[in-house]
């Protein structure tokens, strides 16, 4: 099945009612109550260069969890998004402990730069870090990923710049700053293209912002959509519903 067929199929899923929105729609929260100081680092990783039954390309994307997990969560994020930070610090650790680490869910980290001027450069940093560490120690990426969200300011997106992301990369053990810099200098266009593919996939599922999620049962070919910083309890019910569909 080629990319065009996958996009057509995803639209058919949405139009046909196989994709449903959980939790009453968008759940954007007005303010953030503060970081828990926790970051999720998966206990297992699933490296894969295929395209999923839903049409998500896995090559070059961080994938956490068991490769045979029944449910996929496709998670679109932006490092400048405050609601993504809320999800990362308050909800993702619980999903990880209760669903990803036990083999029920496979999490695919995707990018949707849409918040500010530095959203796309931050996305390129992310893809270059992943490329550099994926084969040897994927957990290093998740340490970098968590540190990037922890660096986020409450005052807007002016915190996000070359200096900040260079510092985050230097302070993350296991990342070669020189290798990441070389990737950004020589492969920036290729990295941006992979990000554009992520965005196109999100939009084909009518996801227009971050954080955005599609929950996909790989066995029954059933999907559900969520947008916003929902609490863990809402995610848990949605995962269970898709798993049992």
């Amino acid at each position: 099945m080629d990319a065009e067929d996958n996009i057509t199929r995803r639209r058919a899923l949405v139009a046909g009612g196989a994709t449903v929105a959980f939790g009453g729609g968008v759940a954007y929260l007005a303010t953030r109550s503060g970081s828990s100081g926790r970051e999720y680092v998966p206990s297992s990783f699933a490296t894969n260069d295929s395209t999923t039954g839903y049409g998500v390309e896995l090559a070059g994307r961080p994938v956490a969890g068991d490769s045979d997990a029944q449910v996929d969560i496709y998670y679109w994020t932006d490092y400048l998004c405050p609601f993504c930070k809320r999800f990362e610090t308050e909800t993702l650790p619980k999903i990880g402990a209760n669903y990803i680490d036990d083999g029920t869910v496979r999490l695919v980290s995707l990018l949707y730069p849409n918040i500010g001027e530095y959203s796309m450069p931050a996305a390129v940093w992310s893809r270059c870090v992943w490329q550099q560490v994926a084969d040897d120690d994927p957990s290093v990426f998740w340490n970098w990923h968590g540190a990037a969200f922890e660096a986020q300011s409450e005052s807007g997106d002016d915190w996000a710049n070359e200096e900040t992301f260079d510092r985050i990369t230097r302070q993350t053990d296991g990342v070669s700053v020189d290798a990441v810099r070389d990737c950004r200098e020589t492969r920036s266009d290729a990295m941006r293209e992979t990000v554009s593919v992520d965005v196109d996939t999100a939009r084909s599922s009518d996801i227009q912002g971050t954080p955005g999620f599609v929950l996909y049962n790989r066995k029954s070919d059933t999907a559900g959509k969520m947008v916003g910083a929902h609490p863990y309890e809402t995610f848990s019910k949605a995962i269970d519903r898709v798993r049992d569909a």
Side-chain angles (χ1 to χ4, degrees):
M1 183 179 291
D2 61 25
E4 185 175 352
D5 288 338
N6 275 322
I7 291 173
T8 301
R9 178 182 168 282
R10 286 195 298 271
R11 288 174 177 159
L13 276 172
V14 174
T19 299
V20 295
F22 296 109
V26 177
Y28 288 122
L29 303 178
T31 59
R32 192 175 174 282
S33 58
S35 170
S36 67
R38 299 177 61 193
E39 61 185 30
Y40 175 63
V41 178
S43 62
S44 62
F45 310 91
T47 302
N48 198 311
D49 291 337
S50 67
T51 298
T52 72
Y54 190 79
V56 172
E57 292 189 23
L58 298 181
R61 279 82 172 169
V63 181
D66 193 321
S67 60
D68 294 325
Q70 180 178 351
V71 176
D72 277 352
I73 296 181
Y74 308 126
Y75 163 40
W76 286 271
T77 192
D78 182 327
Y79 288 101
L80 278 65
C81 167
F83 309 112
C84 300
K85 180 175 181 176
R86 185 176 192 123
F87 170 76
E88 291 278 342
T89 57
E90 298 180 8
T91 303
L92 181 57
K94 296 177 183 178
I95 295 174
N98 296 323
Y99 289 99
I100 300 174
D101 293 343
D102 78 349
T104 302
V105 164
R106 182 176 67 169
L107 179 74
V108 182
S109 180
L110 304 167
L111 296 166
Y112 194 143
N114 69 108
I115 300 297
E117 182 178 350
Y118 206 77
S119 291
M120 178 58 86
V124 173
W125 276 99
S126 174
R127 282 284 150 86
C128 284
V129 170
W130 174 251
Q131 181 187 67
Q132 199 257 314
V133 305
D135 291 337
D136 295 330
D137 189 355
S139 66
V140 171
F141 168 81
W142 293 94
N143 290 327
W144 181 93
H145 178 86
F149 278 109
E150 284 299 319
Q152 193 181 109
S153 170
E154 298 286 349
S155 61
D157 60 11
D158 28 334
W159 66 276
N161 51 41
E162 294 288 301
E163 181 179 353
T164 299
F165 277 82
D166 184 79
R167 173 179 55 79
I168 292 166
T169 305
R170 289 181 180 280
Q171 292 177 351
T172 302
D173 291 340
V175 179
S176 167
V177 176
D178 289 340
V180 174
R181 182 182 296 117
D182 180 70
C183 171
R184 294 180 65 239
E185 290 176 353
T186 64
R187 304 203 63 218
S188 180
D189 288 345
M191 296 298 102
R192 286 172 179 263
E193 179 59 30
T194 70
V195 175
S196 295
V197 170
D198 289 359
V199 173
D200 288 344
T201 305
R203 289 175 176 168
S204 72
S205 294
D206 199 29
I207 290 176
Q208 303 294 331
T210 51
F213 310 86
V214 165
L215 286 63
Y216 175 64
N217 186 320
R218 298 164 66 191
K219 294 182 179 179
S220 66
D221 200 31
T222 302
K225 180 182 70 176
M226 299 177 70
V227 179
H230 293 274
Y232 168 74
E233 291 74 18
T234 303
F235 269 96
S236 178
K237 292 177 182 177
I239 293 169
D240 291 346
R241 182 176 172 184
V242 169
R243 181 193 60 199
D244 297 336

